[in-house]
Amino acid sequence: MKVVLELKEMNGQVGDVIQSVSLSWLNIHVMTKPQKSIYNLYKTNQAPKEVLRNVSGEAKAGQLLVIMGASGAGKTTLLNVLTARDMSKVSVKGVILLNGQVVKASKIASISSYIQQQDMFQPLITVREHLIFQSLLRMDPKMSKNERIDCVEQVMKKFNLTKCMNTRIGGKFTFKGISGGEKKRLAFASEVLTNPSPTSGLDSFMAQNLIECLKTMASEGRTIICTIHQPSSQVFALFDNILFMADGRVAFMGTTRM
């Protein structure tokens, strides 16, 4: 899996009531902006390229949508557009709706979580310390220290991180810390902690375990979109809807059920 988008109206804390949000998009066109040469600012180095072409679709609250397609099909670009992220090098036309209403990009960003394929953690701190830092940085400032700690304990239990909570995270270029699967679960936990990841490099059992967790989160009323390249038949069966993309276009949009 490459990236995950989670949408909901949120009050901000673990355990709050989730107010479901459905996301839809109509006639999305994305073009790259002309890039200037670093040696000559008056010379265009690269011509604009059409990345997405008239893409429409919908992600319903309480359901898990997967976007599939070959590399370069436009999966990540579509997710970037839907979450108003990393848009500095492209121009976008089209309409994005939340519960049928047009909203500002800042509104979408404020109620969404976006987990990248590559995890970025401070390798020298433990799993528990990382989540506590996230709680101090991102949770409601009115919450007490004990309330934040309780939330951290809840998400560690939810994502099976209690066994490694006192283990330093580690990294590829430092020292071996927690496992790759634990890092993926930690990425999820970091986002769920504020109540608003991918499976690359994981074995099929762990990938299925994470998708089952996303399925549970979606059943609670969240809207979750993810991209994945080659899911197993067991993982594919967990998705509610699928969007196949090819060459920046929609090839198929519908249910995964026969």
Side-chain angles (χ1 to χ4, degrees):
M1 193 189 305
K2 195 170 186 181
V3 288
V4 173
L5 164 67
E6 176 192 354
L7 276 173
K8 65 178 184 56
E9 283 287 354
M10 59 182 182
N11 298 323
Q13 316 307 335
V14 175
D16 285 346
V17 176
I18 297 172
Q19 302 175 19
S20 299
V21 173
S22 291
L23 177 70
S24 58
W25 52 98
L26 302 173
N27 305 321
I28 300 297
H29 292 263
V30 176
M31 295 282 292
T32 60
K33 294 179 180 178
Q35 300 297 310
K36 299 295 184 179
S37 171
I38 60 174
Y39 303 107
N40 186 348
L41 296 179
Y42 298 99
K43 179 181 178 181
T44 300
N45 193 37
Q46 183 178 355
K49 177 183 177 182
E50 192 173 22
V51 183
L52 295 181
R53 313 176 188 187
N54 197 35
V55 174
S56 299
E58 180 182 18
K60 297 180 180 179
Q63 296 187 358
L64 181 56
L65 170 67
V66 60
I67 303 176
M68 295 183 64
S71 297
K75 304 184 298 297
T76 300
T77 299
L78 177 58
L79 281 181
N80 287 342
V81 170
L82 296 180
T83 54
R85 288 172 167 85
D86 196 23
M87 294 287 96
S88 60
K89 296 182 179 180
V90 297
S91 59
V92 181
K93 295 181 180 179
V95 180
I96 300 175
L97 307 170
L98 292 181
N99 289 339
Q101 301 294 320
V102 178
V103 295
K104 295 181 179 179
S106 58
K107 173 63 175 178
I108 298 176
S110 70
I111 65 169
S112 65
S113 300
Y114 195 164
I115 303 176
Q116 301 285 350
Q117 179 175 357
Q118 299 299 324
D119 304 314
M120 298 183 65
F121 297 116
Q122 167 54 250
L124 299 179
I125 64 176
T126 67
V127 168
R128 190 171 186 271
E129 289 170 342
H130 169 82
L131 291 173
I132 290 175
F133 177 76
Q134 291 290 314
S135 73
L136 293 171
L137 184 67
R138 302 173 62 186
M139 298 181 80
D140 190 339
K142 296 180 181 179
M143 291 185 68
S144 68
K145 179 179 178 180
N146 288 336
E147 288 175 327
R148 296 172 195 270
I149 297 298
D150 287 342
C151 290
V152 168
E153 298 294 336
Q154 287 181 44
V155 296
M156 286 195 299
K157 183 177 180 180
K158 181 182 182 71
F159 289 95
N160 195 24
L161 292 169
T162 53
K163 292 183 179 179
C164 65
M165 66 179 182
N166 294 319
T167 303
R168 290 194 292 176
I169 297 173
K172 183 177 180 180
F173 301 105
T174 52
F175 58 89
K176 180 173 174 56
I178 60 178
S179 69
E182 289 166 339
K183 286 183 179 179
K184 299 304 179 186
R185 296 202 301 274
L186 181 57
F188 278 101
S190 299
E191 297 299 330
V192 174
L193 182 65
T194 55
N195 209 357
S197 203
T199 60
S200 298
L202 303 181
D203 58 37
S204 58
F205 172 79
M206 186 56 66
Q208 183 174 345
N209 183 268
L210 286 178
I211 297 300
E212 287 174 346
C213 182
L214 287 179
K215 179 79 170 179
T216 299
M217 292 168 63
S219 68
E220 294 171 348
R222 296 177 176 87
T223 303
I224 300 181
I225 307 172
C226 62
T227 69
I228 193 167
H229 286 286
Q230 294 179 323
S232 65
S233 57
Q234 293 87 349
V235 169
F236 184 82
L238 295 172
F239 296 113
D240 297 302
N241 296 296
I242 186 169
L243 169 58
F244 277 116
M245 297 191 66
D247 194 26
R249 297 183 175 92
V250 175
F252 174 80
M253 174 79 191
T255 179
T256 57
R257 306 292 181 262
M258 298 300 292

